[in-house]
């Protein structure tokens, strides 16, 4: 039997020979000696573990980042899809992504502890200035890694937080706009932004970190460890101890604890992925990562005119002091109690940052609306993360297709969903809003028959939330069920079909032209409108019915709700004239039910009336039709030279003598030129934005009203009220106009006297008549200038129409129309309001307006070119 000791001898000799051969060519012995036998004055300490811990976390971040990069696609079309694939499909993908996410926070925490230990121990003293400065550079590079990596998932939170961050960069004097454009790759966040952030996060910043880590370690080895706080930093006197084994074991235990802690968080509290970024979402409240919260809260304390000081002045001074610390605290004294001024300064900054971070969090909890929205956003992200992954598909032309199953019913179902106004409460992609819950997974909870019954008979919580009853046909219900089943993928919004397919079958039947009497040659009867015109007007009326939230009370297609009977019975036997009167002046019963007056244009009112009549076509008798046809003609006669002249003469006859109204007319001009009419209404009678000014001079007599205009209260400022820049005689004229509000001689006569004849003459020349009714429009819309035309494109590109309506003229339930409100503001005031939103705008969910000066001027020009609505409101 062989002796095992003799058997191992040749193997040991072979190992030694290989190690000796390898050492001769690499010098590994000297490298290990330099790394492990480094002398530590005073011996190993737990306080020295943070530097090694930082290096371990960085290596962990590199490894996990490389694994994530294998699947990530840096484009606005595919970034969110690729992260969703990592999170939902890749084996341990969510765990890996969570490790990377929590690792970034752990790196910030350990970095702060490392700097605090170095500062308290005075380890930067004694020819270690460059060592400190290299570490300071590393700290800013680590913060840069956190900032650039946060955008890469391209979900709602990352998009809006990055928009805020790049806006802050834009406050840098002289080069701020250039820096913002460089970071974004343009005016807005998009694919170029993602590619730049990805390059910086994966290549540029890590390369610089590797470089500065090498410099930092080389400088550290050159200067040597400083030792404990009672050691001489230049000529150590305490007995040294080698780095190996005690300090190595301490560092390894700390690295193991970090690994266990990060693994625990990643496994039990995985990172959520929110819905894909939607720039037109005006309700989303962005919040940065926790380590940027102090800066976020800090900016709230400064008014807009001092933002540059808040963004650059104070943080820049602190950063400069941070870098110059070794040159400011030059004595060799290391004991902290002997260095009270540096220690107190650092303590104030540290406590201030912690206070600001907690204050930001507490402010969010105290503000009920903000807390509800943030909780909803967190729940939305959680629900999205739980939904199954649907791959993103492309057509042969490279265009993205629906992320859901390829089902011909999905597009039709989305059309039904949109046409019935479901997106108004449940969100465009069914992910829910603060008004109604998410519909993701609803089909798994309720089979199709049960869901159809629930829609037809909503339960008590649904009715309490304003949910109307729906009675879908079987085909429509199948299509809607198919669409709801597709919700929850990486791009939940299934593509709607053509415009004609956007309406469900039931609505298409209502919109279709009804049979009418025709002449023998096939032409429509003189008293009837062409079928195409009727269909277009009815379709437009249905959209108005939805955009004005009429479905909330009257139900979809006017079918009625528990509060209001079906419209078909309510409008039966009523002519167009009668309906117009009721829409503009609801009766007492309608007002008691919460019916507001209709404030749209005359063309919109005609379309809405056409749609309402289409709900009950059988109720119209020939006599009623003739009355309906005659009423508009009697109400608004065609424009002619006679009527225009009569209008001018009537306006001149009604105008009071100039001597009596001169101060009031001057005051009215000041009222309008300063944009007061935008909020208080053209007659000062108030709007949804600001109260009525009728009687304001009695409430604030004498010098009180000018003082209030010069010193607005906090409530007025929060509503967007600026300081009035009117003085002397102009202020007296303004007060005279405000004092006469409510009387016809002042409120209306000046407007008629000054513009009635001109408008009549202009209309006579232009012949600007409504082709459907033959009526003269109140205000002719002039062609847009090239700058305003470009502003309109910017308005559409930034999805402003999603809230303010088509072209921003009449608004929606989400936001008011801009015609007659913002359009009458002076250009400088409007631009300032777009850049620095009022509190009311912020509470309404107005997103940040991110654009350069040229685009902003064009947008302002477009808004100011909007025509005043025909009703003058």
């Amino acid at each position: 039997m062989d002796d095992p000791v003799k058997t191992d001898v040749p193997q040991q000799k072979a190992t030694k020979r290989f190690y000796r051969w390898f050492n001769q060519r690499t010098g590994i012995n000297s490298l290990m000696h330099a790394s492990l036998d480094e002398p530590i004055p005073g011996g190993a300490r737990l306080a020295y573990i943070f530097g090694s811990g930082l290096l371990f976390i960085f290596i962990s971040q590199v490894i996990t980042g490389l694994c994530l990069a294998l699947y990530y696609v840096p484009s606005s079309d595919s970034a969110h899809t690729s992260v969703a694939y990592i999170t939902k499909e890749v084996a341990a993908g969510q765990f890996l992504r969570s490790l990377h996410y929590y690792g970034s926070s752990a790196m910030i925490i350990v970095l702060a502890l490392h700097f605090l230990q170095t500062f308290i121990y005075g380890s930067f003293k004694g020819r270690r200035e460059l060592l400190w400065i290299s570490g300071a550079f590393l700290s800013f590079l680590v913060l840069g890694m956190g900032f650039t990596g946060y955008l890469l998932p391209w979900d709602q939170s990352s998009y809006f937080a990055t928009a805020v961050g790049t806006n802050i960069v834009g406050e840098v004097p002289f080069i701020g706009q250039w820096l913002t454009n460089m970071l974004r790759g343009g005016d807005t966040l998009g694919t170029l932004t993602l590619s730049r952030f990805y390059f910086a996060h994966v290549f540029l910043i890590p390369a610089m970190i590797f470089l500065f880590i090498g410099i930092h370690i080389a400088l550290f080895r050159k200067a040597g460890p400083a030792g404990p706080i009672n050691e001489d930093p230049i000529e150590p006197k305490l007995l040294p101890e080698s780095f190996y084994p005690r300090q190595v074991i301490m560092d390894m235990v700390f690295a193991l604890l970090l690994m266990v802690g990060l693994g625990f968080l990643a496994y039990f509290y995985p990172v959520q992925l929110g819905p894909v970024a939607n720039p037109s979402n005006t309700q989303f409240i962005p919040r940065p990562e926790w380590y940027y919260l102090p800066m976020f809260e800090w900016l709230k304390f400064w008014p807009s005119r001092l933002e540059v000081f808040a963004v650059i002045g104070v943080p820049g001074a602190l950063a400069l002091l941070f870098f110059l610390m070794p040159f400011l605290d030059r004595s060799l004294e290391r004991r902290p109690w002997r260095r009270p001024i540096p220690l107190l300064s650092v303590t104030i900054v540290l406590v201030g940052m912690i206070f600001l971070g907690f204050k930001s969090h507490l402010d969010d909890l105290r503000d009920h609306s903000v807390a509800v929205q943030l909780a909803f956003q967190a729940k939305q992200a959680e629900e999205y993360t739980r939904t199954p992954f649907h791959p993103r598909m492309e057509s042969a032309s490279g265009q993205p297709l629906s992320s859901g199953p390829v089902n011909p019913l999905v597009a039709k179902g989305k059309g039904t969903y949109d046409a019935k106004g479901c997106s108004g409460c449940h969100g465009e992609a069914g992910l829910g809003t603060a008004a109604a819950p998410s519909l993701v997974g609803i089909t798994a909870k309720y089979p199709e028959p049960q869901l159809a019954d629930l829609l037809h008979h909503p339960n008590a919580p649904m009715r309490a939330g304003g949910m109307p009853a729906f009675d879908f046909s079987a085909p429509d219900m199948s299509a809607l069920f198919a669409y709801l089943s597709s919700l929850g993928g990486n791009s939940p919004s299934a593509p709607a079909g053509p415009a004609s397919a956007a309406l469900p079958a039931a609505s298409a039947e209502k919109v279709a032209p009804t049979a009418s009497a025709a002449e023998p040659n096939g032409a429509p009867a003189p008293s009837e409108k062409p079928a195409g015109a009727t269909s277009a007007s009815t379709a437009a009326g249905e959209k108005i019915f939805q955009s004005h939230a009429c479905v909330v009370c009257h139900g979809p297609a006017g079918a009625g709700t528990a509060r209001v009977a079906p419209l078909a019975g309510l409008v039966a036997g009523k002519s167009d004239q009668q309906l117009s009167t009721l829409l503009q002046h609801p009766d007492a019963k309608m007002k008691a039910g919460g019916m507001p007056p209709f404030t749209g244009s005359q063309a919109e009112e005609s379309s809405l009336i056409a749609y309402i009549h289409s709900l009950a076509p059988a109720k119209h008798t020939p006599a009623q039709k003739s009355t309906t046809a005659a009423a508009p003609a009697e109400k608004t006669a065609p424009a002619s030279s006679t009527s225009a002249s009569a209008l001018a003469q009537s306006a001149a006859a009604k105008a009071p003598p100039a001597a009596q109204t001169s101060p009031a007319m001057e005051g009215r001009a000041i009222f309008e030129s300063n944009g007061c009419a935008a909020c208080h209404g053209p007659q000062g009678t108030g709007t949804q934005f600001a109260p009525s000014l009728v009687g304001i001079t009695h409430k604030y007599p004498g010098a009180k009203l000018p003082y209030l205009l010069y010193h607005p209260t906090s409530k007025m400022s929060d509503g967007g009220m600026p300081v009035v820049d009117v003085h002397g005689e102009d202020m007296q004229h303004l007060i005279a106009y405000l004092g006469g509000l409510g009387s016809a001689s002042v409120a209306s006569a000046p407007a008629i006297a000054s513009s009635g004849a001109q408008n009549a003459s202009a209309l006579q020349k232009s012949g600007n008549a409504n082709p459907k009714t033959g009526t003269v429009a109140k205000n002719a819309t002039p062609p847009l200038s090239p700058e305003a035309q470009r502003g309109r494109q910017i308005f559409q590109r930034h999805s402003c129409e999603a809230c303010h309506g088509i072209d921003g003229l009449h608004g929606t339930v989400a936001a008011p129309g801009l015609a007659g409100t913002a359009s009458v503001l002076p250009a400088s005031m409007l631009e300032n309001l777009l850049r620095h939103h009022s509190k009311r705008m912020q509470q309404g969910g107005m997103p940040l307006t991110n654009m350069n000066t040229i685009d902003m001027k064009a947008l302002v020009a477009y808004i100011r070119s909007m025509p005043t609505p025909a009703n003058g409101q």
Side-chain angles (χ1 to χ4, degrees), residues 5 60 170 225 286 314 327 373 426 498 605 623 680 683 779 783 795:
V5 176
S60 171
V314 176
F327 302 98
Q373 178 63 26
H426 294 283
E605 181 183 304
H680 294 283
Q683 309 298 336
N779 288 320
F795 187 85

Side-chain angles (χ1 to χ4, degrees), residues 796-817:
Q796 295 171 342
R797 186 170 69 241
H798 283 73
S799 300
C800 305
E801 291 181 322
C803 293
H804 293 286
I806 302 300
D807 290 335
L809 297 177
H810 306 296
T812 66
V813 293

Side-chain angles (χ1 to χ4, degrees), residues 390-410:
H390 295 293
R392 178 179 181 272
M393 297 169 290
E394 292 184 353
S395 63
S397 61
Q399 297 298 320
L401 296 176
S402 169
S403 59
V406 181
N407 188 338
L409 290 177
V410 172

